[in-house]
Every structure is written in structure tokens, then in C-alpha cells.
Amino acid sequence: MNPSTIAATAHDAPLLDAAALAHAGRTPATPFRIRLADGSELRVLRLLRVLPGRRVVGEALTAAGEHRLAKLFIDHRAARNWQRERDGIAALAAAGIPTPALAAATALEHGGQVLLTEFLSGADTVLDHWRPLAARPPGDAEAVALLRPLFALLGRLHAAGLSHDDLHFGNFLCHADRLLLIDGDAVSAHGHGPLAEPRAARDLAMLLAQLPRTWDDHVAPLLAAYAETQPQPPGPSALAEALERERAWRLRDYLSKCGRDCTLFKVAKRFDRFSAVLRSEAAALAPLLAAPDRHIDTGIALKRGNTCTVAKVEIDGRPLVVKRYNRKSLRHALSRLWRPSRGWHSWREGHRLRLFGIPTPAPLALVEERWGPLRGRAWLVNEFCAGTDLLALLDPASEPPPPIAASLRTVFDTLHRERISHGDLKATNLLWDGASLQVIDLDAMQQHRSAASHARAWQRDRRRLLRNWPADSALYRWLDAELPH
């Protein structure tokens, strides 16, 4: 239904208040009406973002028929957060940083606050533009052209003495050839003149951390764009320390989210069952998650082993891979009861690799049998990768073709730098999909805290990969020379 049709039907929409919106959780039904403190009504046509019980953001019409973006603050901290948002927008406007103009800020009837800004029809975020470019090689010219203006705008923000506590690609809007910064709630003023180095380094690191780690050697153009508008950029040492802290926090935060119910993941826990699924995939995968074995039995078998069964299945014409982690024997089952399942381990490591920018088929869902704290079988659902494994693809008598060689270097340099070992690095666990090298079978993958532990595991990985080809072959010699020692 288009916005004009929604607007036409919104006159008969239910009248809600802050308490009703908080009770509705993640899915308030739209359209709805909400009454302001002056007695006028705001009609919310569709939702753009919901923080359950805290905030609702949506496209709205005022009583005068004006099109607005509405932020409804509905929890016990509504007044404070509303004031912070209002102050942040004012600070951005005073500094000349493009942001949607504030139209109104007032209270709701029966508690809560609302803030209205201009509605930018047709606007999208930098994240929307980044997603189709994310899989391209690091330093891709189109991706750099997209990102340079973000860093230049951040430089302008810092030159004005402002900081932003939530810098990510989704908080930059593209509209009518303009780039705008949003989320005034995260903006703080720190006096006149350029921002002090520690805080500037923190903000800059926050934005850099949105990039895959495969980009580490390709950020010079982005830093140059920042320095063009910020006369006092943070030094390399301060930036490196801030980036390390930001990445460590971001990794912990993201990996914790994949096991709890949140905006990104839908998680359900019962005494006898645990399930986690990307929230965007929950509806489509519901039939599969309800009966994974039935889909395995009717799918195309890829592997039938004692410890795991793998099948290719189709859901609404979309190919997926389901991997069931079996129990070989009673003794094996008892030994695994208290430990996280191999399915859980693969689920986490898949999300770790993708956060780092290392290609791997997207992990979509996980189901585990449970008996309270004890764990049984597990089912992992991944995107299907139609690539060819390196053992079948590469000719031992010659070096890899340039695209595959470049991808091999990028993947293994990143794995090595991040102290990640695979644990079973056979050539059949590396797939070339025509554009990137996909790493699969993550059951034994590990990110090491100790350099010594990683060095030992890395040498085992290296030897296992090289063992796929004769030691006197051109391919073996190339890999031995190019892979990190």
C-alpha cells in the first residue's frame, strides 16, 4: 500500500498513547493516531524503526496535513532523550552540518514526547548504497567514492567541536545529491574549535570499524577526505589504539547479539529447544525451522556422515544448506551435553567472519535440542554457495588465476592478522564463486588470544592446505611463498 492510500485510511485508524505503543513491542500496527498535548492528532502512516518500549520512528501526517518524520519517545526517560535529540539537532544546524530540519517538539497526551522533522521523500541511507558494494574487493573505486563524503562530513563535525556517539552508515542519509547526518540524540558539543584528539580518534575509529577488516590497507583515501575538512586530525597512534578498542567492543557486542533476542536476531528459548534466526529471515524460514529433518530428508544430500548430515534444500525456490550435527554414540552424546554444540560454534564463527569481511555463506538460523542447560543435536541453516572448490578448480601445474590469487592473499592475510585458524583447511573447504573465495565448514574455527597458540594452529592449517597438491608443483610453490608464514 502506498503512502497516499495509507493516509486516506488513517482517519479511521485506532487512537493510541505512549503506554499502548510500549505494550505493542516490536510490531505496533499501522496506521494509528496519537494525540498531542495540545489536543491535535498525529497520524503515523508507517514505521521506519522501533526500539521496543522506548521509541517509535515513522512517517506521519500532522493535523494540518504536513508530511513529517515523527520520533515518539514513550518510556520513563522520554523527556531526557527527547531533549537530547532536540539539542543535538540544534547543534548540528548551528554548525552548518546538514540534517533534517526540526519542525516541532512537544509532549504527547498522557505522557511521552514527540519530535517532528522534515520528511525527506525518496531519501535512503549510505548503508543501502553500501550493501551491494560490500562484497567487492577492498578499495573498490565505487565504494571509495561512496564513502569519502562521509569522512569529509565527519571532519566538518569535528572541526565544529561536535562528536557523535553512534556513527554508522545507516545514520547518513542521501537525498537530492545531499549527504545528511541524523540521530541528534548522539550528538554532543565540546566547545569551539576542533575536537580534542582522544574523542576525534574515537569517532573516526567508530566509522572505520564499519568497514570489513579486509579494508585495512585501503583506507588512505578516506582518511585524506577527513583531513581535508578537519585541520587537526588524530595521530596514527591515537587512531590505531581507538580502532582496536572500537573493534573489540563491536565484535563482543555483535557476537552477543547472535544469541539473544534483539533487532537483528529473533531468538526463542524453551526447556527443550533453542532457536536463533536473522529477524529479516524469520518468516521465510519458519516452516524449515519447525521441521528441519523433514526438509533434509526431501532435499539433495551433500554429505551423510556419522557426525553430520548436510543437505541442499529449497524454500520458495531459494537454495539453502541445512547441516545437522549428529551424535555418533551414547558416549559421544554425553561428552557433548555440557558444551556448546558444533552448530552453535559454526553459527558464531560464521557471523565473526562476515563481520571481518571474510566471505562465507551467510548463517541464517540455528536450532538446538535442549534439556534445560544440556544440549543435544543441532541444525544450522546457511545460504547455499554454488562455487567450485579449489581442489577441483585449480591446476597444480600453474599459479592461480589473478582474481583467485588476489582473493587468496586477502582472505589469508586477514585470517592471519586476526589470529584466526580454520582447523580443517582442506582445499574442498574453500569455494570460488566467480567473485570471491568463500570459506566453509567452520566447526573447528577459532580466534586465538595467544600469539603462540595461533602460530601453532596456523602452521597446522598451512600444512593441511598445502598437502592437497604435490610439493614439486607450481601451485604448491606459489601458495608456500604467498601465504603468511
Side-chain angles (χ1 to χ4, degrees), residues 352-418:
R352 187 193 306 270
L353 288 193
R354 291 179 69 83
L355 185 66
F356 287 178
I358 298 171
T360 190
L364 304 178
L366 170 72
V367 175
E368 285 184 334
E369 288 178 335
R370 295 274 181 98
W371 298 279
L374 307 180
R375 309 193 189 208
R377 296 181 302 168
W379 294 260
L380 178 68
V381 182
N382 280 352
E383 288 276 13
F384 175 73
C385 176
T388 305
D389 69 72
L390 294 193
L391 187 63
L393 183 66
L394 297 182
D395 179 3
S398 60
E399 297 179 358
I404 299 179
S407 192
L408 278 164
R409 291 189 190 98
T410 298
V411 166
F412 283 102
D413 285 349
T414 307
L415 288 171
H416 186 264
R417 184 177 61 249
E418 302 303 330

Side-chain angles (χ1 to χ4, degrees), residues 190-228:
H190 305 276
H192 299 291
L195 205 60
E197 182 179 67
R199 200 171 289 271
R202 184 211 64 167
D203 278 16
L204 187 53
M206 199 185 310
L207 196 54
L208 286 170
Q210 307 305 308
L211 293 168
R213 302 192 188 195
T214 50
W215 271 71
D216 279 5
D217 295 329
H218 304 272
V219 297
L222 308 180
L223 296 178
Y226 173 83
E228 288 171 4

Side-chain angles (χ1 to χ4, degrees), residues 37 39 53 114 119 126 166 172 179-180 262 286 302 305 329 356 363 385 396 445 484:
V114 62
F119 185 82
V126 170
D166 192 20
F172 291 86
L179 182 67
L180 302 93
C262 60
L302 302 179
S329 62
F356 287 178
C385 176
M445 180 162 282

Side-chain angles (χ1 to χ4, degrees), residues 207-376:
L207 196 54
L208 286 170
Q210 307 305 308
L211 293 168
R213 302 192 188 195
T214 50
W215 271 71
D216 279 5
D217 295 329
H218 304 272
V219 297
L222 308 180
L223 296 178
Y226 173 83
E228 288 171 4
T229 55
Q230 156 65 307
Q232 298 179 15
S237 177
L239 180 58
E241 291 176 9
L243 185 56
E244 184 177 353
R245 287 193 300 270
E246 180 63 29
R247 281 177 165 172
W249 176 87
R250 190 165 183 257
L251 178 63
R252 288 193 304 271
D253 179 65
Y254 188 74
L255 293 184
S256 73
K257 285 178 178 177
C258 72
R260 59 182 170 86
D261 199 65
C262 60
T263 303
L264 289 174
F265 298 96
K266 182 177 181 180
V267 173
K269 298 180 182 180
R270 302 193 317 232
F271 180 84
D272 61 345
R273 191 178 194 265
F274 170 90
S275 66
V277 58
L278 288 174
R279 190 168 290 279
S280 59
E281 300 284 354
L285 297 184
L288 170 58
L289 301 185
D293 279 340
R294 180 167 58 82
H295 286 81
I296 289 175
D297 292 342
T298 57
I300 300 172
L302 302 179
K303 180 179 181 180
R304 294 193 182 277
N306 289 331
T307 58
C308 69
T309 301
V310 185
K312 178 185 175 183
V313 305
E314 282 200 2
I315 300 295
D316 295 329
R318 176 189 182 188
L320 303 172
V321 170
V322 182
K323 187 173 186 178
R324 183 181 66 218
Y325 294 85
N326 304 319
R327 296 290 183 247
K328 292 189 295 184
S329 62
L330 178 60
R331 181 178 180 181
H332 181 242
L334 292 173
S335 73
R336 301 291 314 187
L337 280 176
W338 293 96
R339 292 184 284 169
S341 68
R342 288 174 298 143
W344 168 258
H345 187 81
S346 291
W347 168 252
R348 265 177 70 97
E349 296 312 302
H351 287 294
R352 187 193 306 270
L353 288 193
R354 291 179 69 83
L355 185 66
F356 287 178
I358 298 171
T360 190
L364 304 178
L366 170 72
V367 175
E368 285 184 334
E369 288 178 335
R370 295 274 181 98
W371 298 279
L374 307 180
R375 309 193 189 208

Side-chain angles (χ1 to χ4, degrees), residues 102-155:
L102 180 63
T106 187
L108 298 172
E109 188 178 64
H110 306 309
Q113 311 284 336
V114 62
L115 189 145
L116 303 177
T117 59
E118 64 175 323
F119 185 82
L120 303 177
S121 182
D124 49 15
T125 71
V126 170
L127 181 61
D128 297 323
H129 293 272
W130 164 256
R131 284 188 178 119
L133 304 178
R136 294 191 184 180
D140 174 78
E142 190 175 347
V144 169
L146 170 69
L147 298 175
R148 274 182 56 87
L150 272 70
F151 286 82
L153 187 57
L154 180 61

